[in-house]
Amino acid sequence: MDELPKRPRSASILDDDPKVGLVLCKMLSALGVANRHFVDPLAFLAETRSNPPELILLDLALGQSDAIDLIRKLEAHKYRGRVLLVSGKDITILNEAERIGRAHGLWMLPPLQKPVRMSDIAGRLDARTQPPTEAAHAGRNAVRPAPRVELAEALDEKWLEVWYQPKVCLRALSVAGAEALVRVRHPTLGVVPPIDFLPPASDPLYRPLTAFVMRRAMADWAAFARRGLSLKLAVNTPASVLNAPDFVDVLRRMIPRDETFPGVVLEITEDEIIDDPDWLREIATQVRLYNAAISIDDFGSAYASLSRLKDLPFSELKLDRSFVAGCADDALKRSLCQTVVDLGHRFGASVCAEGVENESDLRSLMSQSFDTVQGYFFAKPMPATDFMEFMAQTPRWQIGLADARAAAAQA
């Protein structure tokens, strides 16, 4: 499990109600966070620019200004600290404002609805949240930065590795599979994430890359099986690769000839099924002959029509993380999650929730009958050897899953 992030040492509070500001100041001081309260947005911005705090507490409505306006200005000032929205407004407005902050490249914490308790703020300061990437800081319309590592060189120099993130079955309360994810281990840069070496969509290098990941994943499956781990692995497969004339031939040669092989899942993003669903239907039917199945990844991000879904033989829907994060506290997100579960089950498919990062969201997903989940709450992606060690232990999250399922059933 990830270590808790360090609490911020300094904070600025912008709230035009002096009494509320005083209460928040006392709470932060009791938590060991030095702080200042502002009622004037201009004075707040001036201080933030000259002496940026590690945390900002921001009210939504500020008289002649508001949090959305401040979010834009914080982006312009390239603020890098954490931002916590605290307001008496409806939670749906708070969640939307938090989403807007993330869209502007800010490090947003899950918002709080007034009145707040000290334990609420302490929980937010200790939340396992990640700062936005430099790509997010660059802005929504920024040109894609040049990769730190060229994929062609990584392929030639054999710098590529395949890591695994577990997929947890909520019915069995155990790891039932894993997603294969590619990484580069550079001789001087160390481990490089995909954003720093993957080319734009449809680049021809995705064909040798996908072949490498598939080959490595199938070899690792055999190694896992020898350890008694018969897991169904998932491989991200771009549409340009699926559409290649020789894809099925390559897949046919790589599939293990082992009667215990549970099959492989080919994950294709929702936006790609929208582009050309007819040929995908044909390929999806063909690969099923070789114990491979299609998963629609990032579902909900591209709004595929039901008419196209009903004609596609898919085995899994993976709900996009933007709908999963915060679903425990957001009635609209919970409703959308339940709709996707019902939809997937009506199509005879399993439904997986991506991006699970806390126990409250997990409990909500369990109450809605999701089949599988994955995310940092369980484990980050890891090399194959670490994954086998992880599987040999009883993870801390597994101990509490039975209690969570019982609580979800009672709810």
Side-chain angles (χ1 to χ4, degrees):
M1 298 287 289
D2 302 339
E3 293 183 359
L4 291 176
K6 292 182 179 179
R7 284 186 176 178
R9 294 166 295 183
S10 58
S12 288
I13 303 163
L14 179 57
D15 194 306
D16 59 358
D17 186 331
K19 293 181 180 178
V20 172
L22 179 61
V23 171
L24 293 175
C25 285
K26 289 183 176 179
M27 289 181 177
L28 286 172
S29 295
L31 292 169
V33 182
N35 59 83
R36 290 188 61 186
H37 173 225
F38 297 85
V39 295
D40 178 12
L42 292 178
F44 161 80
L45 286 170
E47 178 66 19
T48 300
R49 191 165 190 175
S50 61
N51 188 26
E54 296 181 8
L55 170 69
I56 286 175
L57 275 66
L58 189 60
D59 192 11
L60 284 187
L62 298 161
Q64 299 300 312
S65 185
D66 57 65
I68 308 302
D69 185 43
L70 269 296
I71 282 170
R72 298 188 188 109
K73 289 180 169 62
L74 289 172
E75 178 191 24
H77 293 175
K78 298 181 179 180
Y79 178 68
R80 295 294 187 262
R82 283 171 269 189
V83 178
L84 174 59
L85 299 175
V86 183
S87 175
K89 297 292 185 182
D90 187 83
I91 190 64
T92 57
I93 300 177
L94 268 166
N95 286 330
E96 180 61 17
E98 186 260 341
R99 185 199 64 78
I100 291 170
R102 285 188 282 108
H104 281 271
L106 298 182
W107 185 357
M108 304 298 296
L109 300 180
L112 284 174
Q113 193 173 25
K114 295 177 182 176
V116 298
R117 299 168 297 180
M118 189 184 303
S119 60
D120 297 327
I121 295 180
R124 294 305 189 265
L125 301 189
D126 293 336
R128 291 184 176 89
T129 59
Q130 299 293 324
T133 63
E134 287 304 313
H137 284 312
R140 290 165 289 178
N141 300 318
V143 177
R144 180 186 174 98
R148 295 173 65 203
V149 176
E150 293 294 337
L151 178 57
E153 184 182 14
L155 284 162
D156 290 341
E157 298 294 335
K158 303 187 186 313
W159 292 337
L160 294 176
E161 295 181 357
V162 175
W163 289 20
Y164 297 92
Q165 185 175 39
K167 290 175 68 174
V168 175
C169 173
L170 294 182
R171 188 174 295 107
L173 303 183
S174 63
V175 176
E179 182 178 357
L181 299 161
V182 67
R183 297 289 187 269
V184 162
R185 190 175 295 276
H186 192 272
T188 58
L189 298 175
V191 176
V192 179
I195 193 173
D196 287 328
F197 65 84
L198 287 183
S202 301
D203 191 289
L205 285 173
Y206 276 108
R207 291 179 65 182
L209 174 63
T210 304
F212 167 81
V213 175
M214 182 68 71
R215 187 182 306 110
R216 183 69 263 168
M218 293 302 93
D220 286 338
W221 175 85
F224 298 158
R226 288 192 293 270
R227 299 277 292 269
L229 305 173
S230 184
L231 303 172
K232 182 174 284 191
L233 302 183
V235 176
N236 291 285
T237 313
S240 60
V241 175
L242 279 171
N243 199 29
D246 62 342
F247 173 75
V248 175
D249 289 334
V250 172
L251 178 69
R252 188 188 296 118
R253 291 195 299 270
M254 292 185 181
I255 295 295
R257 299 181 183 277
D258 186 321
E259 62 181 13
T260 66
F261 180 63
V264 64
V265 178
L266 309 177
E267 295 191 4
I268 179 170
T269 57
E270 183 188 7
D271 59 333
E272 293 182 308
I273 74 166
I274 291 175
D275 289 341
D276 194 347
D278 293 332
W279 66 259
L280 183 58
R281 179 185 181 186
E282 184 175 321
I283 293 295
T285 301
Q286 189 176 9
V287 299
R288 291 175 72 181
L289 301 173
Y290 305 102
N291 210 1
I294 295 292
S295 171
I296 302 177
D297 197 10
D298 298 337
F299 186 74
S301 62
Y303 314 106
S305 69
L306 291 180
S307 63
R308 287 175 174 174
L309 281 180
K310 72 178 178 63
D311 292 330
L312 181 65
F314 63 92
S315 67
E316 180 186 63
L317 288 180
K318 293 189 75 174
L319 182 59
D320 186 74
R321 65 183 63 245
S322 63
F323 297 97
V324 174
C327 66
D329 301 318
D330 188 324
L332 178 58
K333 284 188 177 183
R334 281 199 308 277
S335 177
L336 290 170
C337 287
Q338 188 64 65
T339 298
V340 172
V341 169
D342 295 341
L343 177 66
H345 289 170
R346 285 181 180 274
F347 279 112
S350 64
V351 186
C352 177
E354 299 183 275
V356 180
E357 296 190 357
N358 60 66
E359 186 174 343
S360 58
D361 285 345
L362 173 61
R363 287 175 179 266
S364 178
L365 298 167
M366 295 177 80
S367 71
Q368 296 173 81
S369 301
F370 274 82
D371 299 288
T372 55
V373 287
Q374 69 182 90
Y376 283 8
F377 179 75
F378 307 101
K380 289 184 177 182
M382 63 192 87
T385 52
D386 294 347
F387 181 75
M388 285 191 282
E389 291 180 9
F390 171 85
M391 292 295 297
Q393 303 168 358
T394 301
R396 280 177 285 176
W397 54 261
Q398 196 173 37
I399 298 172
L401 267 182
D403 292 338
R405 184 168 68 175
Q410 291 177 357

